[in-house]
Amino acid sequence: MEAAARRRQHPGAAGGAGAQPGASFLQARHSSGKADEAVGTAPFHLDLWFYFTLQNWVLDFGRPIAMIDSFELLYYYDEYLGHCMWYVPFFLILFIYFSGCFTPTKAESSMPGAALLLAMPSGLYYWYLVTEGQIFILFIFTFFAMLALVLHQKRKRLFLDSNGLFLFYSFALTLLLVALWVAWLWNDPVLRKKYPGVIYVPEPWAFYTLHVSSRP
């Protein structure tokens, strides 16, 4: 009687070893599902990079409009405090994010078409940021740090995923645009007088003011 009562209370125990194959089958399916997810390619964060590029353009070009009632105060904030408070953490966060964009699977180291299309406006924005913000030293230091990290991780058989490739190629495109910009204006006597330092990276706004808007 007691044995029958225990069987009624615990019906799963009656199967004994017969219940184990079903559990093993479910566990095997669960494990294989995890393996399939691990093998799949790392997704490109299109929404993240699209909105990030969009807000960069909107906020940076919308700022001069907001500077029309309080110009002097905002000019001081933008040229001095703003550079330290914004650009240093900005590039630091990008580098920290970049350091996590590595994968052990070389097949995942590719860029989708959406990333290739977005790389041009992203690199163009960074070009504007570097030239107009006069932060070439900070930019080139960040780019070389990224390059050194890529070479270091390559020794460990780790490769950039689609997000890391997007960021790296955006910075490489920025460096190319800055080099072309400087080469184009290298012999400009007016800008040379305005930027007499060792690092000659003219601002686009200065070029527009001196050579475009001043024309009759």
Side-chain angles (χ1 to χ4, degrees):
M1 293 290 291
E2 294 179 358
R6 284 197 297 270
R7 283 197 296 271
R8 284 195 297 271
Q9 293 176 359
H10 305 285
Q20 294 180 0
S24 302
F25 174 72
L26 293 176
Q27 185 177 6
R29 287 190 61 186
H30 184 65
S31 301
S32 63
K34 286 186 175 180
D36 292 341
E37 293 178 359
V39 173
T41 59
F44 176 69
H45 301 156
L46 176 61
D47 53 347
L48 170 67
W49 291 115
F50 174 76
Y51 287 116
F52 185 69
T53 303
L54 180 63
Q55 70 93 17
N56 283 337
W57 280 95
V58 171
L59 293 182
D60 228 311
F61 283 97
R63 182 174 52 186
I65 300 176
M67 289 177 62
I68 298 175
D69 300 336
S70 54
F71 178 77
E72 292 296 332
L73 178 61
L74 289 178
Y75 178 81
Y76 172 78
Y77 170 79
D78 179 59
E79 291 297 321
Y80 299 99
L81 296 179
H83 285 198
C84 295
M85 295 174 63
W86 169 249
Y87 293 126
V88 173
F90 177 79
F91 281 98
L92 180 61
I93 291 173
L94 285 180
F95 180 77
I96 293 174
Y97 178 87
F98 180 80
S99 65
C101 296
F102 288 88
T103 175
T105 307
K106 192 172 184 180
E108 298 179 6
S109 185
S110 61
M111 290 177 62
L116 294 173
L117 292 176
L118 199 57
M120 176 58 74
S122 178
L124 185 61
Y125 170 76
Y126 291 130
W127 165 81
Y128 168 78
L129 199 69
V130 170
T131 53
E132 190 66 29
Q134 294 292 289
I135 53 169
F136 179 76
I137 295 179
L138 178 61
F139 165 77
I140 200 67
F141 178 80
T142 306
F143 181 73
F144 283 151
M146 292 167 61
L147 181 60
L149 183 61
V150 169
L151 296 177
H152 175 72
Q153 295 289 64
K154 192 174 182 180
R155 296 177 182 175
K156 300 180 180 179
R157 304 294 298 173
L158 294 175
F159 309 93
L160 285 173
D161 61 11
S162 58
N163 299 283
L165 287 173
F166 170 78
L167 192 56
F168 186 80
Y169 287 152
S170 295
F171 272 47
L173 178 60
T174 300
L175 185 61
L176 176 62
L177 291 175
V178 171
L180 293 175
W181 173 256
V182 172
W184 181 44
L185 300 175
W186 185 258
N187 294 322
D188 191 295
V190 180
L191 290 175
R192 272 291 182 178
K193 185 179 296 185
K194 183 175 176 61
Y195 301 95
V198 177
I199 299 179
Y200 174 68
V201 182
E203 299 173 79
W205 186 253
F207 172 79
Y208 175 81
T209 303
L210 296 173
H211 294 291
V212 179
S213 63
S214 59
R215 292 179 180 177

